[in-house]
Amino acid sequence: HVIEFEITPNRPDCLSVIGLAREASATFGKQLKLHTPVVNGGAQGDLNELLSVETPADDLCPRYTARMVRNVKIAPSPKWMRERLRAMGVRPINNIVDITNYVMMEYGQPMHAFDYRYVKGGKIVVRRAAEGEELTTLDGNVRKLNPNILVIADGLAGIMGGENSEIVSDTVDVVFESANFDGTCIRKGALSLGMRTEASAKFEKGLDPMNTLPAVERACELVELLGAGEVVDGVIDVINSIPEPTVLALRPDKINALLGTDV
C-alpha cells in the first residue's frame, strides 16, 4: 500500500516517515517507537586528522555534522531498499547514494555523500559563492553563482552536489554530510538557479538543526548493515546556532471563546 500525504508548508517536520509517525502518534494517542541508530565503527584512521570543517558563512549554517566511511564497496542496494525508495518516488542509484536518499525520506534530513579524494586537503568549507563563480552540478549543467548562494566544498549547499565529487564505481572513501542551512538562503538560491530539488524543498521550509546527528548516525548504521564500507570512529559536529525552544502561553479565555469550552 502507498499512502500519499499533502503536507502544508508550515509542517516541514512531516516531510519524513518519522515525522508522520510522530504526528500519527499524537493524533491517535499511541506510543511513538523510534529506533536509535547503533554504529560499531573501528575503521583505520583519526577522523580529526582526515577531515576538518570550516563555516565562514556561519549565519547561514546553524549546524554541520559529518562522518567518514572507508573502503567503500559501491554496488546496487538490496531489493528491500530499492523497493522502498521507488515507492517514495526516488530512483535507486547505488548503495551509498541510496542510503543518503533513504535517510532523507526516513528522517526528513537531506544528506550528501562526497568522494573524499576530491575534498581538497581534507577540508570542507561552507561559504558564500563569489560573484560569477561557476560550478558543474550533478545533472551536468554549469551553474553561474552569486554571493546569495551557499557553497560547500564542491557542491551547492542544500540544493545539489558538484559533479567532480560525486560517488562513482571506483570511490573508496566517502564523507557523509548532514547539515542544516538557512531556509531563506536555500529558497532564494534554488530560485535564482532555476533548480528545485527534494533537498531544497525541505531546507527552504526550515528544518530542525537537532536532526543532523541522528541522521548521519543512521546513514553509518545502514552502511554497516549493507556491508557497504567501514565507518571511522568519531563525528565532526560544528554547531553555530541552536534555536531556543518556543514557549507558548496558555490563554484559557481565548480557548473558551473559540471552542465554547470552560477551561
Side-chain angles (χ1 to χ4, degrees):
H1 294 74
V2 176
I3 305 173
E4 184 172 338
F5 293 88
E6 183 175 339
I7 308 300
T8 51
N10 63 320
R11 294 303 303 274
D13 57 301
C14 288
L15 293 173
S16 65
V17 173
I18 289 176
L20 289 172
R22 185 181 291 110
E23 186 72 4
S25 167
T27 301
F28 297 110
K30 300 288 186 181
Q31 183 182 358
L32 179 64
K33 300 174 183 177
L34 293 181
H35 167 70
T36 301
V38 177
V39 181
N40 296 318
Q44 186 177 6
D46 183 332
L47 181 62
N48 291 312
E49 292 181 359
L50 294 167
L51 188 68
S52 64
V53 175
E54 293 181 4
T55 57
D58 56 358
D59 56 322
L60 302 179
C61 180
R63 190 172 188 178
Y64 194 100
T65 309
R67 291 202 70 166
M68 190 168 172
V69 179
R70 312 202 76 173
N71 302 316
V72 167
K73 304 173 187 68
I74 304 297
S77 297
K79 184 180 178 183
W80 64 264
M81 180 175 280
R82 298 199 307 269
E83 287 181 346
R84 289 184 182 185
L85 287 172
R86 287 194 183 101
M88 292 184 286
V90 178
R91 178 173 61 92
I93 297 174
N94 60 51
N95 50 5
I96 297 298
V97 176
D98 291 354
I99 283 171
T100 62
N101 285 329
Y102 191 89
V103 171
M104 178 171 67
M105 293 300 185
E106 187 178 25
Y107 282 73
Q109 171 62 46
M111 291 190 61
H112 186 64
F114 294 105
D115 189 323
Y116 177 69
R117 63 188 154 175
Y118 298 118
V119 180
K120 297 173 185 175
K123 180 188 290 186
I124 291 175
V125 180
V126 184
R127 60 175 174 81
R128 287 173 169 83
E131 188 66 55
E133 183 177 350
E134 292 186 346
L135 175 75
T136 303
T137 46
L138 283 170
D139 56 8
N141 292 319
V142 177
R143 310 284 178 176
K144 188 161 282 190
L145 313 181
N146 61 66
N148 293 321
I149 296 170
L150 203 56
V151 174
I152 300 179
D154 301 302
L156 300 174
I159 303 175
M160 184 177 283
E163 186 179 56
N164 61 335
S165 63
E166 69 176 315
I167 304 302
V168 291
S169 60
D170 64 343
T171 297
V172 177
D173 298 327
V174 165
V175 176
F176 276 133
E177 165 198 286
S178 178
N180 184 269
F181 305 114
D182 176 75
T184 302
C185 173
I186 300 302
R187 178 175 56 81
K188 289 181 177 178
L191 191 65
S192 68
L193 293 168
M195 301 172 68
R196 198 160 189 274
T197 62
E198 190 79 43
S200 71
K202 286 179 167 59
F203 276 125
E204 69 184 22
K205 293 174 179 64
L207 298 181
D208 182 5
M210 301 306 289
N211 211 20
T212 63
L213 183 58
V216 80
E217 294 289 87
R218 175 61 167 157
C220 290
E221 179 185 53
L222 286 169
V223 165
E224 294 181 342
L225 180 68
L226 303 187
E230 302 166 10
V231 180
V232 177
D233 290 335
V235 181
I236 290 179
D237 194 17
V238 179
I239 302 174
N240 293 318
S241 173
I242 296 296
E244 289 291 323
T246 302
V247 178
L248 301 177
L250 176 66
R251 294 178 288 177
D253 293 342
K254 187 169 184 178
I255 294 171
N256 293 332
L258 183 67
L259 300 181
T261 52
D262 186 24
V263 178

